[in-house]
Amino acid sequence: MAWEPIHDQPYTPVPYNPVRMSVEDSLRASAELRAKMDQRRTVRAFSTDPVPEQAVLDAIAVASTAPSGAHQQPWTFVLVQDPEVRAKIREAAEREEQISYAGRLGEEWLSALRPLGTDQNKPHLTDAPYLIVVFEQRYYLDGDEQHKHYYVDESVGIAVGMLITALHLAGLAALTHTPSPMKFLSEVLNRPRNEKAFAVIPVGYPAPDATVPDLVRKDLEQVLVRV
């Protein structure tokens, strides 16, 4: 049975009494997570080695627990493994990226990208064994009737953040790829008109010769404001 959002009626309240962690356990868990996530890096060179599908499915399941506006869960995760489909996505993406890097992005944006060494060539779209194409559902279709979703960008953005975290904790590498424009993804994957592509996330293991830029993250005091 298809899931349908609830309109104009409250959800039935149910008890929520999770086991409260001790202070020591809470501090230990938060420190371990912080250390693990500090090792996360965006990877652009992927091995073609297969990865366990269940780990990818579990990560998507984690992402789908994200909070969303009015609990409407306005996301679709399309898991792409077929090499022919991935090749079509790469061809279309590189066609758009060629135009973007030729000037459509604008000099300021191109200047910001240069230190990263990116260009219009996107081998990760065919090297990585999986692509997760995330779509945001701009509205809900009930036959020909449309129902608006709320806080769609925010909800899907949170879900993608949780997805990237879950993939990293499962020992997998990922890249958040957002070719612009992305309408070709709806066409290649035959998605309905209420869905708009949000991101393409290649998933796999880093290639043996993979490198990443020697970046420095802002420290906690640079991003934290105490009030």
Side-chain angles (χ1 to χ4, degrees):
M1 180 181 295
W3 181 88
E4 294 183 4
I6 292 177
H7 298 286
D8 301 324
Q9 56 180 309
Y11 286 98
T12 302
V14 295
Y16 179 64
N17 295 302
V19 176
R20 182 168 177 172
M21 298 176 69
S22 68
V23 172
E24 293 79 9
D25 287 344
S26 180
L27 290 174
R28 184 182 307 110
S30 63
E32 289 176 354
L33 179 60
R34 180 176 178 177
K36 289 178 180 177
M37 293 308 298
D38 192 51
Q39 298 171 1
R40 189 206 63 78
R41 295 301 300 268
T42 293
V43 172
R44 288 183 168 81
F46 286 84
S47 166
T48 58
D49 292 344
V51 302
E53 182 181 80
Q54 190 59 51
V56 181
L57 296 176
D58 286 343
I60 294 173
V62 168
S64 70
T65 70
S68 60
H71 190 57
Q72 292 179 329
Q73 305 164 82
W75 45 64
T76 301
F77 302 90
V78 179
L79 185 59
V80 185
Q81 187 179 21
D82 188 319
E84 292 185 4
V85 178
R86 286 187 284 130
K88 289 179 181 179
I89 290 175
R90 178 179 176 180
E91 180 183 5
E94 289 185 338
R95 187 162 53 245
E96 293 293 351
E97 296 282 42
Q98 174 66 47
I99 300 171
S100 294
Y101 278 88
R104 181 168 59 188
L105 292 178
E107 181 54 35
E108 186 175 2
W109 182 219
L110 289 171
S111 177
L113 288 174
R114 285 192 189 103
L116 299 175
T118 61
D119 58 26
Q120 66 270 17
N121 298 306
K122 306 299 177 184
H124 49 261
L125 295 174
T126 48
D127 289 345
Y130 287 105
L131 299 180
I132 302 174
V133 185
V134 185
F135 288 86
E136 52 183 20
Q137 300 170 8
R138 304 307 302 177
Y139 50 89
Y140 168 69
L141 284 171
D142 182 10
D144 292 330
E145 191 174 346
Q146 297 182 11
H147 298 280
K148 183 179 179 180
H149 282 322
Y150 299 92
Y151 298 103
V152 174
D153 292 337
E154 295 87 345
S155 301
V156 177
I158 294 169
V160 168
M162 293 177 63
L163 175 64
I164 293 169
T165 300
L167 290 169
H168 174 69
L169 295 179
L172 301 176
L175 165 67
T176 308
H177 180 45
T178 54
S180 180
M182 291 194 282
K183 185 178 180 181
F184 68 88
L185 290 165
S186 295
E187 297 168 354
V188 172
L189 297 173
N190 194 30
R191 300 310 305 157
R193 59 185 170 87
N194 66 315
E195 293 187 357
K196 178 183 177 183
F198 185 86
V200 184
I201 303 176
V203 178
Y205 297 120
D209 59 349
T211 61
V212 294
D214 186 15
L215 302 177
V216 177
R217 291 188 171 108
K218 294 179 179 179
D219 62 36
L220 182 60
E221 292 306 317
Q222 289 177 296
V223 301
L224 172 67
V225 176
R226 299 177 184 271
V227 179

